[in-house]
Amino acid sequence: MNDTREKEWQVIKSRLESAMLKVVNLENEATSANEELLQSFKMLREHLGLSQEQLAKIMGVSPMYVSLLERGKRQWTAKNVVRLINPLFDIQVKL
């Protein structure tokens, strides 16, 4: 019986380690993606000739929020990316 419990524990431990590694990898990917968005967001806005106020209106957020996004003070979310992409590029991404 003791061997069985030890084997069960090893399976559980292995699953937990695997799940934890996936979470860490997802967080690292999210951080990397956020940094990429930060680097290109302001450049895109300026390329399109939009002020923060104009972009905020398009996105349906406040100009302060756009400023916070550009400065990395707020994290990007899928909802924010869709708010930007759909109206600016006429790409319909559904969440």
Side-chain angles (χ1 to χ4, degrees):
M1 186 76 168
N2 200 8
D3 274 350
T4 302
R5 288 193 53 79
E6 179 63 28
K7 287 178 184 177
E8 287 175 352
W9 167 244
Q10 291 303 321
V11 169
I12 293 167
K13 183 179 173 187
S14 176
R15 285 181 156 187
L16 284 170
E17 288 172 344
S18 176
M20 290 170 60
L21 183 58
K22 287 178 184 178
V23 168
V24 169
N25 287 338
L26 285 172
E27 287 177 357
N28 289 340
E29 287 178 35
T31 298
S32 177
N34 192 59
E35 289 171 1
E36 288 178 37
L37 281 166
L38 286 173
Q39 291 173 1
S40 56
F41 182 65
K42 184 176 180 179
M43 291 171 50
L44 172 64
R45 179 181 61 76
E46 291 175 343
H47 175 76
L48 294 172
L50 298 172
S51 67
Q52 288 181 341
E53 292 80 13
Q54 291 168 318
L55 184 57
K57 187 175 182 177
I58 291 168
M59 291 176 68
V61 298
S62 72
M64 176 60 77
Y65 194 71
V66 171
S67 174
L68 292 170
L69 286 171
E70 284 187 0
R71 292 182 289 131
K73 302 295 183 185
R74 289 289 183 268
Q75 291 287 337
W76 279 95
T77 64
K79 186 175 182 178
N80 287 336
V81 173
V82 169
R83 278 186 187 169
L84 174 65
I85 291 172
N86 284 351
L88 290 180
F89 300 106
D90 196 30
I91 297 171
Q92 296 304 309
V93 177
K94 305 264 187 219
L95 294 178

